[in-house]
Amino acid sequence: MRRGWQRLTLRARLLVIGVLGVAVALAIGSLVLYGVLSVASYRTLDASSRATGADVAALITDGRLPDPIPVTGNQIVQVVDARNRVVSASVNADRLAPLLSPAELRTALAGSPRLVTGSRVGLSSPLRVIAIPAGRSDPRTVVVAQQVQDIQHSQDILKISLLLTYPILLAALAVIAWRVVGAALRPVEALRSSADRISGSAQGDRLPVPTSGDEISALAVTLNSMLDRLAASRAHQRSFIADAAHELRSPLASMQTQLDVADRLGEQSALTEDLRAEVTRMSQLVEDLLVLARLDAETAPGRAPEAVPVLAVVDDVAQHFPGVHVAPSPPGPDGLAVRCRRDELRRALSNLTHNAVRHAVRTVEIGVEVEGGQVVIRVRDDGSGIAVEDRDRVFERFTRLDEGRARDAGGSGLGLAIVRELMARNGGEVRLGDAPGEGLEAQLRLPRA
């Protein structure tokens, strides 16, 4: 139940809360209205009966009780003695059988009106009866009854009216509330859609500030201030990475030159070989950092994508990795091409192939397939693969899974992050999956030209 409630949109939840609140209020109001009208109707009826009973009691006290007793409307009047015998009555009353039994008469004399069936006087409508004591030397009791059929009929009409109008009113209120809540949340949706489009890299990306000056406007101002701080922080971070990479280039180049001179002078040793490997690794790390800094800094690519022949790029990359097998091209028209930037596709494919070569046991294969409107470049190796739960994490920067791929000689942890950035810039994507048999399959998916 709680999960179902949380799955509802904010607009739906507000609507449900509002309609339920109105429904409860209407129910309570309807019950109160029904009760108040019923009590008022019966009090009016009892007041009329008591007025008639008081008049008849006054006649008894003065010794001027007529027979039959004159009444107005549908009132029924009986005067009974101490033994509950009828001594006088109105024309429409029974002159032999009293309306109330002795027990009912005692209750009525205590001040509680009695409701009896109309069959006692040959009527179909129930009767509401009150009793008023009269006389001094010869105690008598005046019994006055009135039909309640009209009141009950009015109550039935009120109940039917409330039951019929209740759902219609709720439905109308729900429609109005849906539109009102939607209009109230429209600025929030505008903020959400604008925030969804913001990449965080462009300085001009900001949320629209409503002119209402309410809490939503204050929220937009606060979020824009936060975006300004985040943009400034990212700019400082990019600047630091780029500056650090540029500064590292010179000493690394100097170290590489000194190692080359040592090779020419015949001063090679195990130490120089280890140092050369580390210098090469550091140089690759610096280049990767510079590439990421450039990708982060470019808010809009300068060169438009072009039609790039896929097989030519695959052959070019494979030549730099001895032992990499290129699978036969799929049947179809010659010159299979994708829309992207050639150097960025080559860099992405080189990174995937380099990873595959480092982790493969024996075989690395590059293949090209066509799926619908996409060209899929597959890079497969027969290594130990990557666990499914880690396949999203490996695209984060400086992420390495040495414990999962024990034969990894050590990378910068930036290769796959660069691949994802390059694919996103060219309208493509990169995926990781299981290779047939054993190993990892990396896919570059790009729109076909």
Side-chain angles (χ1 to χ4, degrees), residues 241-253 278-294 347 398 412 414 418:
I241 292 175
D243 292 343
H246 279 293
E247 292 298 327
L248 286 172
R249 263 184 164 180
S250 296
L252 287 173
E278 292 301 322
V279 169
T280 301
R281 182 170 176 271
M282 287 295 295
S283 299
Q284 183 61 46
L285 173 60
V286 168
E287 292 300 323
D288 289 344
L289 288 173
L290 287 173
V291 170
L292 285 175
R294 175 176 60 82
R347 178 62 184 268
F398 297 104
S412 65
L414 297 175
I418 292 175

Side-chain angles (χ1 to χ4, degrees), residues 222-244:
T222 303
L223 292 177
N224 282 335
S225 177
M226 180 187 68
L227 288 174
D228 289 335
R229 294 193 298 271
L230 290 176
S233 176
R234 293 194 61 176
H236 288 308
Q237 182 183 27
R238 288 194 300 265
S239 177
F240 171 76
I241 292 175
D243 292 343

Side-chain angles (χ1 to χ4, degrees), residues 288-312:
D288 289 344
L289 288 173
L290 287 173
V291 170
L292 285 175
R294 175 176 60 82
L295 293 177
D296 288 341
E298 290 183 3
T299 58
R303 293 183 297 107
E306 56 183 339
V308 177
V310 177
L311 299 180

Side-chain angles (χ1 to χ4, degrees), residues 5 38 42 89 101 129 145 148 152 180 201 213 224 258 260 283 303 313 323 354 362 393 424 443:
W5 172 257
S38 298
Y42 282 119
S101 65
V129 185
V148 296
Q152 292 180 341
V180 171
S201 58
N224 282 335
Q258 294 180 39
D260 292 340
S283 299
R303 293 183 297 107
V313 175
H354 183 258
R362 288 180 301 274
R393 189 164 63 91
Q443 299 178 5

Side-chain angles (χ1 to χ4, degrees), residues 314 321-328 349 351-371 376-386 405 431-445:
V314 170
F321 297 94
V324 173
H325 173 65
V326 179
L349 183 56
N351 283 8
L352 291 183
T353 307
H354 183 258
N355 282 346
V357 169
R358 284 166 49 207
H359 304 311
V361 177
R362 288 180 301 274
T363 305
V364 175
E365 181 182 88
I366 304 177
V368 180
E369 297 179 7
V370 179
E371 293 184 4
V376 182
I377 306 174
R378 305 180 188 273
V379 181
R380 295 171 178 170
D381 66 70
D382 58 351
S384 58
I386 297 178
R405 309 191 80 183
R431 299 180 185 176
L432 298 180
D434 294 323
E438 185 178 4
L440 183 72
E441 177 181 282
Q443 299 178 5
L444 296 180
R445 292 176 170 266

